[in-house]
C-alpha cells in the first residue's frame, strides 16, 4: 500500500519509491530510502496533503507525491 | 598587511547559518548587498586578530544536486570559485540528516570545518555529542557552537585560522568494502596514467562512481577515458549487484547513510526520555489542525493588519508635527521665495510624507520576520497547498507571495525555491497583487481619509486580502491560458518551532527600515524635487499679475480667498506636471479621477512611496490656503469624491510594481519581454477593475 492508504499515527517501512528524476532525488535527500521507517502523522482537511515523519524530520507532501511511496 | 581568509558557508536550510555568522561577526559586522537586490549569496566581512575573514553565505541546500536554483548556486560556487575553506554548519539536533550534506562536502577535496550548531538545544534534548572523537574519526575539526548562547565561537574562529594556515588533510570517509574496492581500481588507473591532480584521485574516482556530471565532463575528453571507461562500467555493475539496487543515486545515499549511522553510533549518545509529544508536535496539533488551521492563520494575518494600523498611527501625529515644525523653522531662515518653496513644499513635505509611515512599515516587517523565523511559514504552505494547487499554484508559492507584502523585490527573488519554470513564472506574475510595504502609506492615507476610524483596520485587511484573492483568481486564469502544464511536486520539511531571536528580527527589521529611509532620503527626495519643479514651472507672470491686481481690488476676505485659489489652480494646471496630467486625463476620466490623481499614479511607477509625496505637493500647492485644514487627509477629503478614491485604491493594488521591482522581475522571469507582458497584464487588470469599482462605489 502507499502512504495515503495508511493509518494515522502508525509506523511503516518503505518498500520502494515509485519516483524518478528530481522528485526521487528530493525524497532521498530527506532520507526516504528503501527499508527506512516512516510515521504517518496527519493530513489536511480535504486529504490533499500529508504529513510524515522520518527519523526526526517532519515532511509535508502532496497527495500525488505521497502515492509514490510504497510502504509495508 | 592583514591576510584574507575566504570562507564558503554551507549548510542545509534551517540550521541557523545566518544567525551564527551574525554572532561571530559581532558588532564589526558588515553586511553586503544592502539593497537586497542580489541575495544569491551574501558576503560578510570582519576582522579577527591579523586576519580579514570574508564569509560567503551560500543558500541553504539539502544536497549538492541541481534540483533548485539555490542548490545550483551553492554547488557551482563550491566547484568553480576560489575560497580557502568550507565552513559546514550542521544542526546538532538533526545530525543524521545534516551529515548527508557533510558527506558530500567531504568528497570535494577542500579544507573543511564542521560547526555543530545549536549545541544548547542538543543539550536540552539530552543529545550528547563527543565532538573530539568525531573530529578524530572524520579527520575534520568538528566544533560545538551555539549562535544563541555564543558558546564555542572563539574556538571556531581559532580553528578557522589554524585550518587556513595548515596543510590540507585528507578527510576520512569510508564507504562499504565493495565500493572502496571499485574506488581503488579507478584510483590505480588514474595513477598509472599519471593523471594530473586537479582534485585528489580519490575525489575524482568517487565523482565518477557517483555520476557527477562535471567530473565526467572533465575526464571524458581525455585520452585516459578509454582506460577508465571499462573499469567504471564494471564498477557500476558490481555495485548495483551488491546493493540490489539499480540507481546510483539511491546507492550513494545508502552508502552515506551507512557511514553516518556508524559514525553517530560511536560519537553520539541520546538519553531517551519516555515517548511523549515534543513541543513542536503539541503546537502543530492546534496550528495545522485540519479544520482550525486555516481560520487561525487568517486570524493572525488580520491581527497583524490591525496592529499595523492601530499602533502604527500613534507616533504619526508626532512625526507629522515634527516635519511641520521643521518646515516652518527652516522656511523662516530662507529669504528667497522660490528657494523656500523648493525646500519646504518640495523636499521637506515630500520626505515627511514618506517618513510618516515608518512605524507602519516596521510593524509589518516585524510580522513577516516572525512568520519566517518561528517556522510557521512552512506550516501555512502545507495548509494552503491543497487550496493553492487548485489555482495552479504551489504551496511554496506562499512564501514569495507573503514576502511580497513586505517588498516585491525579495519576493521575486524568493520565487526561486520553485523549481518548475512555469510555476515560478506564474508566481512571479501575481506577486505584484500582494500589496508591498511601500503601498501601505497610500492605503493608510486614503483609508484614513475616506473611512471611519473604527473601520480603518478592517478596510486595510480587506485591501490586502482582496489583492491576495485577486492574485489567486489571476493565477487560475493564467494557468488555464498562458502557463498550462504539469505542476511541481510538493515535498517540504516542516522545521521545529523556534522562539524567534530578538536580535535576528531586530536586524532584519532595522535593515529593511533603513533601506526604506535611505530611499526616502535619496530617491524620493529627488523625485519630490522633480514633482515640485514640474508643478511650479513654467511660471506665468501674466496670469499672476492679472490675478494679483484683481485680489487687491476686492475688499471681501472670502472673495480674496476664492480668487487666490483660482490663481493657484490655474498656475498648477499650466505647469509641466499639469500639462502631462491633462494629457492623461481622458484616460483616467472614466475612473472619476482628475489629472492630479493621474499624475500621482504615474509617479508611482518610479516608486510607490512617491505617490504620497506627489499628492502632498499637488494638493498643498493647488488647494485652498486655509491654515486650519492643512493636513493632507483633509485636503483629499475635500477634493476627491469617494468613488474616485475607491478607483485609486484599486489601481494602487493592481498596477505595475515600482521600477526597481520591475527590473528584478524581468531578470528573474528571464528577459525584458516579460516586463512588457507584466506591464500590459497589470495595466489591463487595473483599469478594468478600477472602472468596475468606481461604478459600484458610485451607487453608494
Amino acid at each position: 500500500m502507499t502512504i495515503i492508504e495508511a493509518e494515522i499515527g502508525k509506523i511503516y517501512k518503505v518498500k520502494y519509491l515509485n519516483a524518478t528524476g528530481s522528485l526521487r532525488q528530493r525524497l532521498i535527500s530527506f532520507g526516504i530510502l528503501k527499508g527506512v521507517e516512516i510515521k504517518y502523522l496527519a493530513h489536511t482537511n480535504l486529504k490533499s496533503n500529508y504529513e510524515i515523519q522520518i527519523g526526526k524530520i517532519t515532511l509535508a507532501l502532496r497527495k500525488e507525491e505521497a502515492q509514490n511511496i510504497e510502504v509495508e | 598587511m592583514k591576510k584574507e581568509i575566504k570562507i564558503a558557508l554551507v549548510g542545509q536550510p534551517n540550521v541557523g547559518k545566518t544567525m551564527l555568522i551574525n554572532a561571530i561577526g559581532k558588532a564589526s559586522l558588515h553586511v553586503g548587498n544592502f539593497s537586497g537586490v542580489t541575495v544569491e549569496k551574501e558576503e560578510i566581512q570582519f576582522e579577527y586578530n591579523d586576519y580579514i575573514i570574508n564569509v560567503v553565505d551560500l543558500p541553504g541546500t539539502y544536497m549538492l544536486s541541481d534540483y533548485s536554483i539555490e542548490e545550483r548556486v551553492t554547488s557551482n560556487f563550491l566547484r568553480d570559485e576560489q575560497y580557502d575553506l568550507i565552513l559546514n554548519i550542521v544542526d546538532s539536533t538533526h545530525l543524521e540528516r545534516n551529515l548527508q550534506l557533510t558527506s558530500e562536502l567531504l568528497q570535494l577535496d577542500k579544507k573543511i570545518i564542521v560547526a555543530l550548531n545549536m549545541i544548547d538545544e542538543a543539550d536540552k534534548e539530552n543529545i550528547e555529542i563527543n565532538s573530539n572523537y568525531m573530529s578524530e574519526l572524520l579527520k575534520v575539526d568538528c566544533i560545538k557552537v551555539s549562535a544563541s548562547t555564543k558558546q564555542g565561537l572563539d574556538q571556531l574562529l581559532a580553528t578557522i585560522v589554524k585550518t587556513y594556515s595548515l596543510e590540507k588533510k585528507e578527510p576520512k570517509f569510508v564507504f562499504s568494502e565493495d565500493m572502496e574496492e571499485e574506488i581503488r581500481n579507478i584510483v590505480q588507473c588514474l595513477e598509472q596514467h599519471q593523471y594530473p591532480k586537479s582534485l585528489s584521485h580519490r575525489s575524482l574516482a568517487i565523482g565518477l562512481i557517483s555520476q557527477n556530471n562535471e567530473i565526467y565532463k572533465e575526464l571524458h575528453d581525455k585520452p585516459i577515458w578509454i582506460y577508465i571507461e571499462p573499469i567504471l562500467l564494471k564498477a557500476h555493475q558490481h555495485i548495483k549487484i551488491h546493493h540490489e539496487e539499480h540507481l546510483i543515486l539511491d546507492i550513494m545515499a545508502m552508502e552515506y547513510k551507512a557511514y553516518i549511522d556508524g559514525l553517530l553510533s560511536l560519537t553520539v549518545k541520546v538519553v531517551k526520555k519516555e515517548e511523549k509529544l515534543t513541543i513542536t508536535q503539541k503546537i502543530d496539533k492546534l496550528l495545522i489542525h485540519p479544520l482550525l488551521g486555516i481560520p487561525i492563520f487568517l486570524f493572525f494575518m488580520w491581527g497583524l493588519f490591525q496592529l499595523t494600523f492601530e499602533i502604527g498611527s500613534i507616533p504619526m501625529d508626532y512625526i507629522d508635527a515634527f516635519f511641520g515644525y521643521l518646515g516652518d523653522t527652516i522656511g523662516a531662515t530662507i529669504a528667497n521665495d522660490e528657494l523656500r518653496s523648493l525646500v519646504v513644499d518640495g523636499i521637506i513635505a515630500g520626505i515627511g510624507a514618506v517618513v510618516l509611515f515608518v512605524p507602519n512599515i516596521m510593524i509589518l516587517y516585524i510580522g513577516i520576520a516572525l512568520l519566517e523565523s518561528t517556522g510557521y511559514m512552512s506550516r501555512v504552505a502545507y495548509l494552503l497547498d491543497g487550496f493553492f494547487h487548485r489555482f495552479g499554484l504551489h504551496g511554496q508559492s506562499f512564501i514569495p507571495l507573503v514576502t511580497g507584502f513586505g517588498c516585491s523585490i525579495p519576493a521575486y527573488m524568493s520565487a526561486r525555491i520553485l523549481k518548475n519554470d512555469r510555476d515560478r513564472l506564474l508566481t512571479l506574475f501575481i506577486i505584484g497583487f500582494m500589496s508591498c510595504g511601500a503601498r501601505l502609506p497610500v492605503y493608510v492615507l486614503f483609508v484614513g481619509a475616506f473611512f471611519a476610524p473604527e473601520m480603518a483596520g478592517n478596510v486595510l485587511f480587506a485591501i490586502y486580502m482582496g489583492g491576495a484573492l485577486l492574485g489567486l483568481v489571476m493565477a487560475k486564469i493564467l494557468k488555464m491560458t498562458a502557463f498550462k502544464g504539469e505542476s511541481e511536486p510538493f515535498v517540504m520539511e516542516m522545521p521545529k518551532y523556534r522562539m524567534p531571536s530578538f536580535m535576528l528580527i531586530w536586524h532584519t527589521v532595522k535593515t529593511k527600515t533603513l533601506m526604506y529611509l535611505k530611499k526616502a532620503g535619496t530617491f524620493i527626495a529627488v523625485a519630490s524635487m522633480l514633482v515640485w519643479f514640474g508643478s511650479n514651472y513654467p511660471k506665468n507672470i501674466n496670469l499672476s499679475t492679472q490675478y494679483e491686481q484683481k485680489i487687491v481690488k476686492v475688499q471681501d476676505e472670502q472673495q480674496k480667498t476664492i480668487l487666490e485659489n483660482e490663481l493657484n489652480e490655474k498656475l498648477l494646471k499650466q505647469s509641466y506636471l499639469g500639462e502631462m496630467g491633462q494629457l492623461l486625463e481622458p484616460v483616467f476620466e472614466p475612473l472619476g479621477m482628475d489629472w492630479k490623481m493621474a499624475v500621482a499614479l504615474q509617479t508611482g511607477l518610479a516608486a510607490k512611496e512617491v505617490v504620497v509625496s506627489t499628492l502632498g505637493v499637488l494638493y498643498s500647492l493647488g488647494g485652498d490656503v486655509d491654515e486650519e485644514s492643512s493636513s493632507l487627509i483633509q485636503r483629499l477629503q475635500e477634493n476627491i469624491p469617494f468613488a474616485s478614491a475607491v478607483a485609486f485604491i484599486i489601481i494602487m493594488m493592481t498596477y505595475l510594481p515600482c521600477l526597481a521591482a520591475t527590473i528584478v522581475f524581468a531578470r528573474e522571469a528571464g528577459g525584458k519581454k516579460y516586463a512588457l507582458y507584466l506591464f500590459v497584464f497589470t495595466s489591463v487588470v487595473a483599469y478594468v477593475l478600477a472602472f468596475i469599482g468606481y461604478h459600484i462605489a458610485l451607487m453608494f
Side-chain angles (χ1 to χ4, degrees):
Chain A
M1 72 180 155
T2 66
I3 270 291
I4 64 163
E5 295 148 322
E7 230 175 287
I8 286 189
K10 282 203 171 163
I11 294 170
Y12 298 88
K13 212 172 208 170
V14 177
K15 236 163 97 187
Y16 64 86
L17 284 180
N18 200 6
T20 51
S22 56
L23 176 59
R24 187 181 194 94
Q25 199 169 38
R26 171 111 313 184
L27 292 174
I28 285 175
S29 74
F30 284 110
I32 305 182
L33 283 166
K34 194 172 69 182
V36 169
E37 287 188 340
I38 57 180
K39 187 177 178 185
Y40 175 25
L41 292 179
H43 61 74
T44 52
N45 190 12
L46 299 168
K47 288 202 164 190
S48 56
N49 292 68
Y50 294 80
E51 202 195 5
I52 58 172
Q53 191 181 341
I54 317 110
K56 285 162 107 189
I57 307 163
T58 308
L59 205 61
L61 301 161
R62 196 182 281 155
K63 188 176 179 181
E64 286 88 328
E65 284 83 53
Q67 279 170 330
N68 289 321
I69 305 172
E70 192 78 21
V71 293
E72 58 185 2
Chain B
M1 261 290 279
K2 295 199 168 189
K3 279 189 203 152
E4 194 184 308
I5 307 180
K6 193 164 186 179
I7 296 176
L9 191 67
V10 193
Q12 294 191 337
N14 292 308
V15 294
K17 268 188 323 147
T18 310
M19 210 178 136
L20 183 72
I21 212 63
N22 277 331
I24 298 177
K26 288 178 207 132
S28 55
L29 186 79
H30 167 76
V31 181
N33 282 326
F34 187 68
S35 61
V37 176
T38 43
V39 293
E40 296 181 329
K41 41 189 191 278
E42 277 198 356
E43 288 208 29
I44 291 152
Q45 220 178 46
F46 57 90
E47 289 184 13
Y48 173 72
N49 295 347
D50 291 335
Y51 298 91
I52 295 171
I53 298 186
N54 200 338
V55 182
V56 183
D57 188 357
L58 294 165
T61 163
Y62 290 108
M63 278 171 106
L64 290 183
S65 53
D66 43 14
Y67 182 82
S68 67
I69 299 182
E70 271 134 337
E71 288 170 358
R72 240 169 285 161
V73 168
T74 302
S75 50
N76 288 351
F77 182 92
L78 289 175
R79 195 182 55 235
D80 302 332
E81 304 282 326
Q82 286 295 318
Y83 54 90
D84 296 305
L85 57 98
I86 297 173
L87 178 56
N88 175 214
I89 316 270
V90 299
D91 174 352
S92 301
T93 63
H94 274 141
L95 282 179
E96 199 186 327
R97 220 272 312 286
N98 275 234
L99 290 179
Q100 286 264 351
L101 178 66
T102 311
S103 310
E104 287 190 290
L105 294 172
L106 291 176
Q107 319 306 335
L108 291 176
D109 192 26
K110 305 274 182 190
K111 289 182 183 178
I112 180 166
I113 299 170
V114 175
L116 303 163
N117 196 19
M118 305 184 180
I119 199 71
D120 53 321
E121 280 184 38
D123 285 343
K124 265 183 227 150
E125 293 177 24
N126 292 314
I127 302 170
E128 271 176 47
I129 304 171
N130 186 342
S131 61
N132 291 335
Y133 194 30
M134 194 184 273
S135 308
E136 207 177 296
L137 288 172
L138 283 174
K139 303 252 184 296
V140 163
D141 285 307
C142 302
I143 317 287
K144 288 183 184 179
V145 294
S146 161
S148 46
T149 63
K150 310 244 183 291
Q151 179 191 338
L153 297 183
D154 291 328
Q155 201 197 342
L156 182 63
L157 282 168
T159 312
I160 287 171
V161 170
K162 191 189 85 188
T163 310
Y164 171 77
S165 351
L166 291 176
E167 277 293 299
K168 186 168 70 195
K169 291 181 290 187
E170 180 94 22
K172 189 161 189 231
F173 193 95
V174 189
F175 292 93
S176 67
E177 188 37 45
D178 307 85
M179 183 76 105
E180 285 294 339
E181 194 185 321
E182 305 305 336
I183 294 171
R184 275 197 299 275
N185 288 342
I186 296 172
V187 169
Q188 204 185 0
C189 176
L190 289 166
E191 257 152 35
Q192 257 173 16
H193 296 86
Q194 295 177 342
Y195 188 79
K197 291 197 170 179
S198 56
L199 289 174
S200 74
H201 285 164
R202 185 180 163 85
S203 292
L204 287 172
I206 294 167
L208 286 173
I209 290 178
S210 61
Q211 296 182 324
N212 180 311
N213 283 335
E214 296 303 317
I215 292 182
Y216 267 79
K217 256 184 230 161
E218 183 190 323
L219 281 148
H220 191 265
D221 303 338
K222 307 276 161 62
I224 194 178
W225 185 249
I226 56 164
Y227 300 105
I228 289 183
E229 200 182 1
I231 301 175
L232 190 56
L233 257 166
K234 219 184 274 168
H236 275 158
Q237 276 168 359
H238 285 170
I239 294 167
K240 283 175 186 175
I241 291 169
H242 180 80
H243 283 83
E244 296 174 2
E245 183 64 66
H246 60 284
L247 286 169
I248 293 292
L249 176 68
D250 292 42
I251 294 172
M252 289 308 289
M254 286 171 174
E255 286 278 346
Y256 289 143
K257 187 176 177 335
Y259 188 72
I260 294 163
D261 287 348
L263 178 76
L264 292 181
S265 70
L266 292 172
T267 54
V268 177
K269 245 193 286 173
V270 183
V271 183
K272 272 246 167 125
K273 284 186 287 189
E274 57 206 276
E275 279 285 316
K276 61 176 180 188
L277 292 179
T278 61
I279 296 170
T280 294
Q281 282 165 331
K282 276 185 209 156
I283 300 174
D284 266 346
K285 276 241 178 286
L286 183 66
L287 289 188
I288 60 171
H289 189 277
L291 288 174
L292 296 176
I294 290 179
I296 291 174
F297 162 67
L298 289 176
F299 173 75
F300 281 146
M301 293 305 277
W302 175 82
L304 176 61
F305 289 112
Q306 285 293 333
L307 278 179
T308 305
F309 205 89
E310 297 292 328
I311 299 182
S313 65
I314 297 170
M316 276 170 96
D317 290 339
Y318 298 105
I319 299 175
D320 206 17
F322 170 76
F323 276 96
Y325 166 79
L326 196 70
D328 290 344
T329 321
I330 294 178
T333 62
I334 303 173
N336 184 310
D337 269 350
E338 295 199 2
L339 193 64
R340 186 172 59 236
S341 174
L342 169 67
V343 172
V344 178
D345 299 328
I347 302 173
I348 295 180
I351 296 178
V354 174
V355 173
L356 195 57
F357 300 97
V358 166
N360 301 76
I361 281 169
M362 283 179 80
I363 294 171
L364 192 66
Y365 280 138
I366 290 172
I368 293 173
L370 276 175
L371 205 58
E372 222 166 1
S373 58
T374 49
Y376 186 48
M377 196 93 108
S378 319
R379 267 76 186 181
V380 181
Y382 162 74
L383 283 173
L384 294 180
D385 180 69
F387 179 68
F388 269 33
H389 195 45
R390 273 159 220 261
F391 289 94
L393 288 166
H394 189 270
Q396 274 179 311
S397 305
F398 164 76
I399 293 164
L401 292 179
V402 161
T403 316
F405 286 126
C407 173
S408 303
I409 293 172
Y412 286 134
M413 284 182 303
S414 63
R416 289 172 177 215
I417 52 170
L418 296 158
K419 194 205 71 166
N420 182 305
D421 281 344
R422 261 188 317 268
D423 282 1
R424 194 173 63 246
L425 271 176
L426 183 57
T427 308
L428 287 174
F429 268 94
I430 61 161
I431 281 173
F433 292 117
M434 312 300 125
S435 289
C436 69
R439 278 180 254 183
L440 183 65
V442 186
Y443 299 146
V444 173
L445 186 68
F446 273 77
V447 170
F450 295 97
F451 292 92
E454 63 273 15
M455 282 290 291
N458 292 333
V459 174
L460 201 60
F461 179 66
I463 288 176
Y464 276 78
M465 280 299 130
L469 287 175
L470 179 67
L472 289 181
V473 173
M474 287 301 153
K476 185 71 186 171
I477 293 171
L478 288 173
K479 181 80 181 178
M480 290 193 302
T481 53
F483 300 110
K484 274 190 216 160
E486 278 290 302
S487 306
E488 187 181 338
F490 179 84
V491 181
M492 196 179 64
E493 189 190 357
M494 309 255 247
K496 250 187 297 189
Y497 284 110
R498 292 218 161 85
M499 274 305 279
S501 143
F502 175 77
M503 283 309 292
L504 195 64
I505 289 187
W506 171 239
H507 180 74
T508 316
V509 172
K510 192 180 75 182
T511 314
K512 296 210 166 126
T513 309
L514 282 176
M515 213 165 96
Y516 178 82
L517 281 173
K518 197 175 145 198
K519 211 162 144 195
T522 53
F523 194 68
I524 291 162
V526 171
S528 301
M529 275 159 71
L530 285 177
V531 171
W532 172 86
F533 176 81
S535 54
N536 271 287
Y537 292 88
K539 292 272 176 208
N540 190 331
I541 310 286
N542 278 346
L543 195 70
S544 305
T545 35
Q546 198 186 326
Y547 265 87
E548 268 155 27
Q549 281 163 0
K550 270 196 214 167
I551 291 168
V552 175
K553 280 181 203 153
V554 181
Q555 291 300 316
D556 183 23
E557 277 297 315
Q558 241 180 339
Q559 279 283 317
K560 264 190 185 173
T561 320
I562 291 169
L563 281 173
E564 274 170 19
N565 280 348
E566 253 182 60
L567 170 63
N568 283 332
E569 191 74 39
K570 280 192 175 164
L571 278 175
L572 194 53
K573 246 190 165 162
Q574 57 88 52
S575 68
Y576 293 124
L577 215 53
E579 295 275 319
M580 181 182 123
Q582 282 162 69
L583 211 66
L584 291 168
E585 204 165 17
V587 181
F588 287 90
E589 215 178 348
L591 309 179
M593 293 189 200
D594 61 7
W595 64 269
K596 291 179 192 174
M597 293 168 86
V599 166
L601 286 175
Q602 301 315 307
T603 56
L605 289 174
K608 299 290 175 253
E609 296 92 330
V610 185
V611 173
V612 174
S613 54
T614 306
L615 287 169
V617 173
L618 290 182
Y619 283 99
S620 70
L621 286 170
D624 58 64
V625 276
D626 180 5
E627 286 303 323
E628 276 170 30
S629 61
S630 61
S631 93
L632 186 54
I633 286 186
Q634 276 163 306
R635 282 165 196 272
L636 293 182
Q637 280 167 341
E638 286 156 14
N639 289 293
I640 299 176
F642 176 70
S644 310
V646 171
F648 192 85
I649 291 176
I650 292 175
I651 291 195
M652 280 309 298
M653 285 164 68
T654 48
Y655 81 138
L656 198 68
C658 70
L659 186 65
T662 309
I663 292 169
V664 175
F665 167 84
R667 203 188 64 197
E668 294 295 320
K672 287 194 186 102
K673 63 174 183 198
Y674 287 102
L676 184 69
Y677 296 158
L678 185 69
F679 174 72
V680 173
F681 171 61
T682 52
S683 302
V684 170
V685 171
Y687 197 87
V688 170
L689 290 179
F691 186 79
I692 297 170
Y694 173 65
H695 283 278
I696 292 176
L698 274 181
M699 288 188 253
F700 288 97

